[in-house]
Amino acid sequence: MTLTPLSPAPTAPLDLVHGRIDLTHGAGGRATAQLLDTLFKPAFANEWLAQGNDQALFSVPPGRLVMSTDAHVVAPLFFPGGDIGSLAVHGTINDVAMSGARPLHLAASFILEEGLPLADLARIVASLAQAARDAGVAVVTGDTKVVERGKGDGVFITTTGIGVVPDGLLISGDQARPGDAILINGTLGDHGIAILSQRAHLGFETVLQSDSAALHGLVADMIAAVPEIHCLRDPTRGGLATTLNELAHQSGVGMRIHEAAIPLQPAVIAACELLGLDPLYSANEGKLVAICPAAQAETLLATMRRHPLGTQAAIIGEVVADPLHFVQLRTRFGGERLLDWLTGEQLPRIC
Amino acid sequence: MTLTPLSPAPTAPLDLVHGRIDLTHGAGGRATAQLLDTLFKPAFANEWLAQGNDQALFSVPPGRLVMSTDAHVVAPLFFPGGDIGSLAVHGTINDVAMSGARPLHLAASFILEEGLPLADLARIVASLAQAARDAGVAVVTGDTKVVERGKGDGVFITTTGIGVVPDGLLISGDQARPGDAILINGTLGDHGIAILSQRAHLGFETVLQSDSAALHGLVADMIAAVPEIHCLRDPTRGGLATTLNELAHQSGVGMRIHEAAIPLQPAVIAACELLGLDPLYSANEGKLVAICPAAQAETLLATMRRHPLGTQAAIIGEVVADPLHFVQLRTRFGGERLLDWLTGEQLPRIC
């Protein structure tokens, strides 16, 4: 009879300065527990994670729930205005908020590549936790897996959010009606061009920052002022042009957009001209398209402009009857062209 | 003025026989929409996905909710008894069910590697959808990203599940009490050894199949018979030994396990002897550990044995008072040894 543990030596403390992820961190045993206890749990500390189970248990207020999930694979992991951690919070919160819901909780799942510096992981986890705190949501449950070197790319993060939709709201992509006004909350293309500026092989730099932000506070103000909002959607991959086409298709309508009304930063215009890109197809991570009855458009605009994330909000066009569901752009020079869906790929791994 | 779309040619139909994933499928534009419309949406068809929004909206019955998430990175993608699609359903449903909850909905997020054959993806998506249907849950929302060749490994799938816990249950890893009985629902190590058999470089084959299965039906029967169940947990990565150590640690107790009472398939015993592995550390994907008051143990055992996923259920040990929280194994030969947490790595990417 022996009472000696199979491996009696305590595991050495994690070296958060020089250490790296290895395959034992994904094995589900002692090294995984150490990684969770040292690096993840302190960052996210909350009553649900403290339950210590493989699932979080909580009560929700009565009402309708929404659920949304997004994988985040952005490269590089750190970029001007954010990183994959904060982006993983903002991206999913925004998808939840675009139903009019108040976001409640997040689940976060990490796929780590062997060799990832623990210092990078700690920075990303801290950023994710801070973004969640700032947004007033808790990361209540999570998972961590490790893949061999060359089978991943540093870290991928999938976040899943749930939220509660207040009674009486009907905000959905199929609710746009001819005559409705189309609004956005600020400048377009900032995230896409900020990421592009970091891709070393493009030899291109800019002072531009990603617009990555959680929009649920802005949405709450908008709904309080104009509960009749018909559609909300965040123009991420594929940009404004693709989002408008999705909404036109889903609602069975057409749209007319006024190019001169679309706010753009000079740095985005310059970068797009240099590289032959179109800012209307460039990704955003802190922007939303809102569609509401024309009679409420000015009220909604004024509300948006009072919020820090809507100071440059604008009415950019209107919904029209069109059996072909075309999105037409009236250019600065008075011409008109179709604004089609994104075809092909502007830039891989933007989010 | 022109009304010609920027790319007027309709996209060619997806070639589900010879086609492969490319980066445009992750760009959020027309190719992404085509992939979703052709391959994903028909497989999962339900009223929530049909909403066509970036989030799913639904009502939930009153009560406490649980939420759980798991990234699945199993290699190979297809293995005896399942594939990454069915595993992604079973893994998350089981984590939800281990709280006593009835699983309601799943979110599924895919990270695809450029070059993945569409035929493989279609097979995986069909398997995931079938497993969800068999389990009575809907995949209500999802996401798809694409990474460059060599930055992923075919497909990774993160699933997030929510469920509703019936009133009156208190099932948690911290509820084990001295005197409680410890049960399992069948043979151990089947999943881990089945995966191992597929790793070509090991030159090892077996007739063994993964035990991958959704356990919520079994759990519902168990709760109906013995609502006083204290703990439920599925011994996945790290195997039974690690799960028992987690529960002992969380509840502040010790455990005594009887090796002779643990059901093992002969093929698992043979493989483990050949390879120097311990089946008590090998992963399972259709097994659960249940801890309940000793007075209810026989009732619980009989209930488990009546269910198809519990025909080989067994009482394998008991909870004891132990300030050191040791899990002790009484061996077949009458000796005793400590059953420690998994240290190191038996086999990477088991789930």
Side-chain angles (χ1 to χ4, degrees):
Chain A
M1 168 175 160
T2 168
L3 281 177
T4 312
L6 289 176
S7 88
T11 311
L14 270 192
D15 180 351
L16 292 178
V17 179
H18 302 293
R20 291 178 181 271
I21 286 291
D22 64 46
L23 290 172
T24 67
H25 293 122
R30 197 180 281 282
T32 305
Q34 185 187 42
L35 182 71
L36 298 180
D37 289 344
T38 308
L39 201 146
F40 283 92
K41 289 182 185 170
F44 296 128
N46 62 56
E47 62 184 289
W48 302 280
L49 274 181
Q51 293 166 358
N53 294 319
D54 290 336
Q55 73 291 122
L57 174 72
F58 47 84
S59 295
V60 292
R64 298 168 297 166
L65 277 192
V66 295
M67 185 178 194
S68 189
T69 193
D70 256 337
H72 296 86
V73 299
V74 67
L77 297 174
F78 303 94
F79 50 82
D83 56 61
I84 193 172
S86 53
L87 185 68
V89 170
H90 298 155
T92 292
I93 282 184
N94 291 348
D95 279 345
V96 167
M98 294 304 126
S99 65
R102 177 168 63 87
L104 288 177
H105 292 318
L106 287 179
S109 161
F110 295 77
I111 298 174
L112 309 176
E113 184 191 12
E114 183 187 12
L116 175 71
L118 288 173
D120 285 358
L121 180 60
R123 196 175 148 202
I124 289 164
V125 167
S127 170
L128 194 158
Q130 186 62 48
R133 270 193 298 274
D134 290 346
V137 301
V139 178
V140 296
T141 191
D143 183 49
T144 305
K145 294 289 187 332
V146 178
V147 296
E148 305 91 330
R149 204 180 288 262
K151 301 292 187 183
D153 195 16
V155 52
F156 303 143
I157 305 175
T158 294
T159 44
T160 306
I162 59 168
V164 178
V165 186
D167 283 340
L169 294 185
L170 178 54
I171 298 174
S172 174
D174 59 1
Q175 294 297 308
R177 297 290 175 263
D180 283 356
I182 303 170
L183 297 88
I184 55 175
N185 65 315
T187 56
L188 288 179
D190 304 0
H191 177 74
I193 305 302
I195 295 290
L196 193 61
S197 75
Q198 297 300 302
R199 300 280 171 93
H201 59 283
L202 289 169
F204 168 73
E205 299 218 15
T206 174
V207 292
L208 204 64
Q209 294 221 328
S210 166
D211 60 343
S212 181
L215 295 169
H216 60 303
L218 172 63
V219 168
D221 286 0
M222 292 166 65
I223 289 169
V226 182
E228 304 87 350
I229 291 172
H230 287 161
C231 309
L232 292 172
R233 190 161 294 178
D234 50 339
T236 54
R237 284 184 295 179
L240 177 72
T242 300
T243 294
L244 293 178
N245 272 283
E246 286 172 7
L247 295 172
H249 183 76
Q250 209 174 331
S251 290
V253 297
M255 296 182 182
R256 285 181 191 275
I257 303 299
H258 306 280
E259 188 176 21
I262 297 174
L264 294 171
Q265 295 204 50
V268 168
I269 297 173
C272 284
E273 283 179 355
L274 189 68
L275 296 163
L277 297 174
D278 186 335
L280 303 189
Y281 292 90
S282 182
N284 311 277
E285 290 292 344
K287 293 304 178 312
L288 59 80
V289 175
I291 298 179
C292 75
Q296 274 88 48
E298 288 296 340
T299 303
L300 189 59
L301 179 66
T303 304
M304 292 165 76
R305 285 188 170 165
R306 276 194 296 271
H307 192 279
L309 295 175
T311 55
Q312 297 189 74
I315 298 173
I316 61 166
E318 57 275 341
V319 178
V320 297
D322 179 352
L324 297 175
H325 315 152
F326 282 160
V327 178
Q328 294 181 35
L329 185 76
R330 180 164 291 269
T331 69
R332 288 172 198 282
F333 311 107
E336 229 170 61
R337 68 173 169 94
L338 271 195
L339 206 55
D340 199 7
W341 299 66
L342 172 67
T343 53
E345 170 69 289
Q346 267 210 344
L347 180 68
R349 300 181 53 192
I350 200 73
C351 58
Chain B
M1 168 176 161
T2 168
L3 281 179
T4 313
L6 288 177
S7 90
T11 311
L14 271 192
D15 180 352
L16 292 179
V17 179
H18 302 294
R20 291 178 179 272
I21 286 292
D22 64 46
L23 290 171
T24 68
H25 292 121
R30 196 179 281 284
T32 305
Q34 185 187 40
L35 182 70
L36 297 180
D37 289 345
T38 307
L39 201 147
F40 284 92
K41 288 182 187 169
F44 297 127
N46 61 55
E47 60 184 292
W48 303 281
L49 274 181
Q51 294 166 357
N53 295 319
D54 291 336
Q55 71 293 123
L57 175 71
F58 48 83
S59 296
V60 291
R64 298 168 298 165
L65 276 192
V66 295
M67 185 177 194
S68 189
T69 193
D70 257 336
H72 296 86
V73 300
V74 67
L77 298 173
F78 303 95
F79 51 81
D83 57 62
I84 192 172
S86 54
L87 185 68
V89 170
H90 299 156
T92 293
I93 282 183
N94 291 348
D95 279 345
V96 168
M98 293 306 125
S99 64
R102 178 167 62 88
L104 287 176
H105 293 318
L106 287 180
S109 163
F110 295 78
I111 298 174
L112 310 175
E113 184 191 12
E114 182 187 11
L116 175 71
L118 288 173
D120 284 357
L121 180 59
R123 195 174 147 203
I124 289 164
V125 167
S127 170
L128 194 158
Q130 185 62 46
R133 271 193 299 275
D134 289 347
V137 301
V139 178
V140 296
T141 191
D143 184 49
T144 306
K145 294 290 186 329
V146 178
V147 295
E148 306 91 330
R149 202 182 288 263
K151 302 292 188 184
D153 194 17
V155 53
F156 302 143
I157 306 175
T158 294
T159 44
T160 307
I162 58 169
V164 179
V165 186
D167 283 340
L169 293 185
L170 177 54
I171 298 174
S172 174
D174 60 1
Q175 295 297 309
R177 297 289 175 264
D180 283 355
I182 304 171
L183 297 88
I184 56 174
N185 65 314
T187 57
L188 287 179
D190 303 359
H191 177 74
I193 304 302
I195 295 291
L196 193 62
S197 75
Q198 296 300 302
R199 301 279 172 91
H201 59 283
L202 289 170
F204 169 71
E205 298 216 18
T206 174
V207 292
L208 204 66
Q209 294 221 328
S210 166
D211 60 342
S212 180
L215 294 169
H216 59 305
L218 172 63
V219 169
D221 287 0
M222 291 166 65
I223 289 169
V226 181
E228 304 86 350
I229 291 173
H230 287 162
C231 309
L232 292 172
R233 188 160 296 176
D234 50 339
T236 54
R237 283 184 295 179
L240 177 73
T242 301
T243 294
L244 292 179
N245 273 282
E246 287 172 8
L247 295 173
H249 183 77
Q250 209 175 333
S251 290
V253 297
M255 296 183 182
R256 285 181 191 274
I257 304 299
H258 306 279
E259 188 176 23
I262 298 174
L264 293 172
Q265 296 204 50
V268 169
I269 297 173
C272 284
E273 283 179 355
L274 189 67
L275 296 162
L277 297 174
D278 185 336
L280 303 189
Y281 291 90
S282 182
N284 311 277
E285 291 291 344
K287 293 301 178 310
L288 58 79
V289 174
I291 298 179
C292 75
Q296 274 89 47
E298 288 296 338
T299 303
L300 189 59
L301 179 67
T303 303
M304 291 166 75
R305 286 188 170 165
R306 276 193 296 271
H307 192 280
L309 295 175
T311 54
Q312 298 188 72
I315 298 172
I316 60 166
E318 57 274 341
V319 178
V320 297
D322 179 354
L324 297 175
H325 315 153
F326 281 160
V327 178
Q328 295 181 35
L329 185 75
R330 180 164 292 268
T331 69
R332 288 171 198 279
F333 311 106
E336 229 169 64
R337 67 174 170 96
L338 270 195
L339 207 55
D340 199 8
W341 300 67
L342 173 69
T343 52
E345 169 70 288
Q346 265 211 345
L347 180 68
R349 298 178 57 191
I350 199 75
C351 58

